[in-house]
C-alpha cells in the first residue's frame, strides 16, 4: 500500500476515534461503530495503533468480540 493511502487511513482512524470518544460522552451519538471503523483503518495503516485500540481497557473487549464473531454484546 502506498504512503498516501496509509496516511489517509491513519488520519481517518484518528477522526473515528475522536468521534467514538465523543459518542461515549453524548447519549445520542453511537460509539461502537466509530471505533470499529477506527480499528479497521488502523489495521490498514498502523498495527501499533490497532493494537492500542484493541487492548483499550474499556473499548477493546467489544472490538475484539466484533473481530472474532462479527457481533457485539448487547450491553
Amino acid at each position: 500500500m502506498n504512503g498516501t493511502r496509509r496516511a489517509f487511513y491513519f488520519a481517518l482512524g484518528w477522526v473515528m476515534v475522536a468521534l467514538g470518544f465523543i459518542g461515549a460522552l453524548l447519549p445520542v451519538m453511537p460509539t461502537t461503530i466509530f471505533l470499529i471503523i477506527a480499528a479497521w483503518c488502523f489495521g490498514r495503516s498502523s498495527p501499533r495503533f490497532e493494537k492500542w485500540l484493541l487492548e483499550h481497557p474499556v473499548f477493546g473487549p467489544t472490538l475484539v468480540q466484533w473481530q472474532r464473531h462479527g457481533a457485539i454484546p448487547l450491553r
Side-chain angles (χ1 to χ4, degrees):
M1 185 177 299
N2 65 22
T4 305
R5 186 174 275 178
R6 286 186 69 190
F8 172 75
Y9 283 135
F10 186 74
L12 183 61
W14 278 112
V15 168
M16 292 298 124
V17 167
L19 289 173
F21 283 126
I22 291 170
L25 300 174
L26 298 175
V28 296
M29 191 169 169
T31 300
T32 307
I33 189 65
F34 291 120
L35 295 178
I36 289 171
I37 296 169
W40 182 83
C41 289
F42 287 145
R44 306 240 173 320
S45 64
S46 173
R48 184 177 115 198
F49 285 107
E50 179 188 27
K51 182 180 180 216
W52 168 77
L53 195 56
L54 294 176
E55 292 178 352
H56 190 275
V58 176
F59 303 114
T62 302
L63 296 173
V64 170
Q65 288 287 344
W66 174 260
Q67 282 188 334
R68 287 186 184 157
H69 306 291
I72 56 174
L74 291 175
R75 59 176 183 87

